[in-house]
Amino acid sequence: MTPVSDFRLYHGNALDVLAELLANELRKPVAGVAPLQPDILLIPQVAMRRWLQATLASRHGIAANLEFLTPGEFVSRALRANLGDSRDDLDAGTLHWRLYAALTDAELLAQPAMAQIAGYLAGDDPLKPWTLAGELAAVFEKYQAWRREWLLRWEGGADAADPQAILWRRIAGGQAHRARRIQAYLNRFVDGDALPVGLPKRLFAFGTLNVSPDVLRVMASQARVGTLHFYLPTPTRAFWGDLQTLGARIHAGGDPFDADAENPLLRDWGAAGKDFMALLGSYEVVHPSGDIAAYADPDASAGASPSLLRRMQSDLFHRRAEPAGTPRAQVDADDASLQFHACHTRLRELQVLHDRLRALLEDPRFDPPLQPREIAVLAPDIDPYVPYLDAVFGNQGEAAQGQAIPYAKADASPLAEEPLAEVFLRLLALPISRFGLEELLELLASPPLAEAAGLEADDFERLRGWLQAAGARWGIDASHRARLGAPADDAYTWQFALDRLLLGHASGDDTLIDGVAPWPELEGGALDALDRLLRSLRTLAVQQQAL
């Protein structure tokens, strides 16, 4: 007899409403479970944990005895509890080293099917096999989550002439890696009648919108021995698993320019969410025993003059292809709900962010006033910003007056907490650097190098404007470009721009001097900052050749 699955699906467009439903469920005791046994909550990233803890604490007065895991960590725990420990899990680091060993194996590269890769790796560049191994490691790691069947087919001998299959057989053949263990788990506890052990009687999954079918099936196996409460945020109340992207419409022979076909924001930015909604709606992976809808229509709280953000949310919610309401003839300066800021460095991004947050916290239109705990700052990769956080948000003058904006970091790697280590790694990459204008200014603006050079944030603002106007784009000089495989032309290199700046300052006009067009707009008091930049650039150029 197949056990009954208790998979309860809660879906809504407001995280706070879903969090309220979660809080209500947490209050309920679970029969047969010790009161001090922690509840397990699955979340997509650490940042969600902080927000969810604060939200639950505001609801109950306290948020304690909760264990937060990512879906991947839960899967690892389920595999260990039911299949035992394994030393063969191929994570990104292990894959990287094993692929590097395979790509430096002359016998393997001599196979006819590997000719294209062997041709690429030909020569004496030791970085090529290491770099390629890193790229392939990232691909194979995703395959373990999303393309398990490919990997198992390759191990069985399929696609004998496929370079990826050859490499996978070399690095993973005969080992109890994650894809193989997931296959064994699914065969026994999802497709079979056996019940998994070591899983909680109650499990919560909050905001896990983009997990692979395999991970979702392992998570859903808990519902066979308990109850899984799955909280799914979605921007629209309509099913959108059938949404077609631009490429899909072209492939299907439809009109790619049909403006009435779909909400453009949902269509172009919602590919991952669309696939997950289709996965849930197919009922092939999970079969919800309960379907609880909890939606808040943005139009109901929009008021007489809805903000731009509220209008966008409403169009998404109702899945409108065209914006509702009357288009605005011009930008409303009083509507700060949706803002775009173009910044040239990460340091400048944080400075603008700090100023805008300060303005929002002091905005009298918020009643009650906006609190720092109600603000979340998201970035695709937070690590590059960490070295500048203390410089911008750790202002000692603001702290002394009690005006500093408090913040807490989430998802940052331990290495990002050490600015010197981060700069050291970037300096090691100098041999392959193009010395792009923005790339180099960002490196020099890192706190350790900026402090060593004596350069301030305002200096970088002025230097960037001068260098941009003088024509600095990439490359130290013509010889540096030639070493990178480009024509030996010094146009728009650092040397090109600096020659124009210095000759312009010396001559005071833009008359050609020995074929160089001076740029005379350099301010008289700016030579100190330019001199410090030149010394730093000279040091980096020397180290670039030495490495």
Side-chain angles (χ1 to χ4, degrees), residues 329-368:
Q330 59 186 9
V331 174
D332 184 356
D334 293 328
D335 184 357
S337 63
L338 189 62
Q339 304 180 34
F340 294 87
H341 299 276
C343 306
H344 57 273
T345 64
R346 292 188 177 96
L347 173 62
R348 185 59 182 158
E349 283 184 67
L350 288 177
Q351 290 171 334
V352 172
L353 172 65
H354 177 275
D355 293 345
R356 296 312 305 151
L357 290 180
R358 171 64 63 199
L360 289 172
L361 290 169
E362 296 175 355
D363 193 331
R365 289 175 295 181
F366 288 99
D367 185 19

Side-chain angles (χ1 to χ4, degrees), residues 171-243:
I171 66 175
Q175 299 189 45
H177 51 76
R178 184 182 180 88
R180 187 185 293 275
R181 284 163 58 79
I182 287 180
Q183 179 69 54
Y185 183 95
L186 295 178
N187 288 342
R188 188 184 306 178
F189 302 113
V190 176
D191 299 328
D193 292 334
L195 296 178
V197 298
L199 303 184
K201 292 194 66 175
R202 180 170 67 176
L203 178 66
F204 299 93
F206 193 90
T208 52
L209 184 60
N210 184 25
V211 295
S212 70
D214 284 347
V215 171
L216 182 60
R217 294 180 75 192
V218 174
M219 290 168 55
S221 69
Q222 180 275 339
R224 304 179 75 188
V225 296
T227 302
L228 172 56
H229 299 273
F230 198 97
Y231 299 86
L232 176 69
T234 172
T236 176
R237 64 181 177 185
F239 175 74
W240 52 293
D242 57 349
L243 179 147

Side-chain angles (χ1 to χ4, degrees), residues 29-90:
V30 181
V33 175
L36 296 182
Q37 182 174 325
D39 274 297
I40 295 179
L41 281 74
L42 305 186
I43 52 173
Q45 66 273 327
V46 178
M48 178 67 76
R49 168 187 173 180
R50 293 184 179 277
W51 178 84
L52 200 51
Q53 281 180 316
T55 303
L56 293 175
S58 66
R59 177 67 174 79
H60 294 308
I62 188 172
N65 209 27
L66 302 173
E67 184 178 5
F68 292 87
L69 301 174
T70 64
E73 290 170 338
F74 176 79
V75 170
S76 296
R77 181 176 294 189
L79 295 180
R80 285 197 304 270
N82 291 275
L83 304 179
D85 290 328
S86 172
R87 297 182 180 180
D88 296 331
D89 277 350
L90 298 177

Side-chain angles (χ1 to χ4, degrees), residues 169-454:
R169 283 191 287 268
R170 168 61 67 92
I171 66 175
Q175 299 189 45
H177 51 76
R178 184 182 180 88
R180 187 185 293 275
R181 284 163 58 79
I182 287 180
Q183 179 69 54
Y185 183 95
L186 295 178
N187 288 342
R188 188 184 306 178
F189 302 113
V190 176
D191 299 328
D193 292 334
L195 296 178
V197 298
L199 303 184
K201 292 194 66 175
R202 180 170 67 176
L203 178 66
F204 299 93
F206 193 90
T208 52
L209 184 60
N210 184 25
V211 295
S212 70
D214 284 347
V215 171
L216 182 60
R217 294 180 75 192
V218 174
M219 290 168 55
S221 69
Q222 180 275 339
R224 304 179 75 188
V225 296
T227 302
L228 172 56
H229 299 273
F230 198 97
Y231 299 86
L232 176 69
T234 172
T236 176
R237 64 181 177 185
F239 175 74
W240 52 293
D242 57 349
L243 179 147
Q244 277 194 316
T245 62
L246 177 62
R249 290 206 309 278
I250 294 175
H251 184 74
D255 181 2
F257 303 106
D258 183 5
D260 296 328
E262 188 53 76
N263 182 289
L265 185 59
L266 190 65
R267 179 195 66 215
D268 296 334
W269 284 3
K274 182 265 296 184
D275 291 342
F276 190 72
M277 292 297 294
L279 182 68
L280 283 177
S282 69
Y283 282 79
E284 295 178 358
V285 176
V286 295
H287 301 270
S289 58
D291 189 299
I292 300 93
Y295 290 98
D297 190 338
D299 289 340
S301 58
S305 180
S307 68
L308 188 60
L309 178 61
R310 185 69 72 182
R311 291 174 64 175
M312 184 183 72
Q313 291 171 333
S314 175
D315 290 337
L316 279 170
F317 182 75
H318 294 284
R319 199 171 165 178
R320 299 185 183 112
E322 292 290 333
T326 305
R328 294 178 178 176
Q330 59 186 9
V331 174
D332 184 356
D334 293 328
D335 184 357
S337 63
L338 189 62
Q339 304 180 34
F340 294 87
H341 299 276
C343 306
H344 57 273
T345 64
R346 292 188 177 96
L347 173 62
R348 185 59 182 158
E349 283 184 67
L350 288 177
Q351 290 171 334
V352 172
L353 172 65
H354 177 275
D355 293 345
R356 296 312 305 151
L357 290 180
R358 171 64 63 199
L360 289 172
L361 290 169
E362 296 175 355
D363 193 331
R365 289 175 295 181
F366 288 99
D367 185 19
L370 186 67
Q371 298 299 316
R373 66 174 179 272
E374 298 174 300
I375 299 172
V377 178
L378 308 181
D381 182 7
I382 196 64
D383 284 357
Y385 295 91
V386 171
Y388 311 104
L389 276 174
D390 190 57
V392 176
F393 284 85
N395 185 289
Q396 297 300 317
E398 289 184 341
Q401 300 174 18
Q403 297 296 315
I405 300 176
Y407 69 93
K409 298 184 291 291
D411 284 348
S413 70
L415 187 62
E417 303 285 348
E418 299 294 339
L420 279 174
E422 192 265 344
V423 169
F424 175 70
L425 291 179
R426 294 178 67 179
L427 291 176
L428 287 180
L430 285 178
I432 58 175
S433 171
R434 298 174 78 249
F435 274 65
L437 175 62
E438 303 296 350
E439 170 194 7
L440 199 61
L441 287 180
E442 189 171 297
L443 174 61
L444 292 174
S446 60
L449 294 188
E451 182 179 355

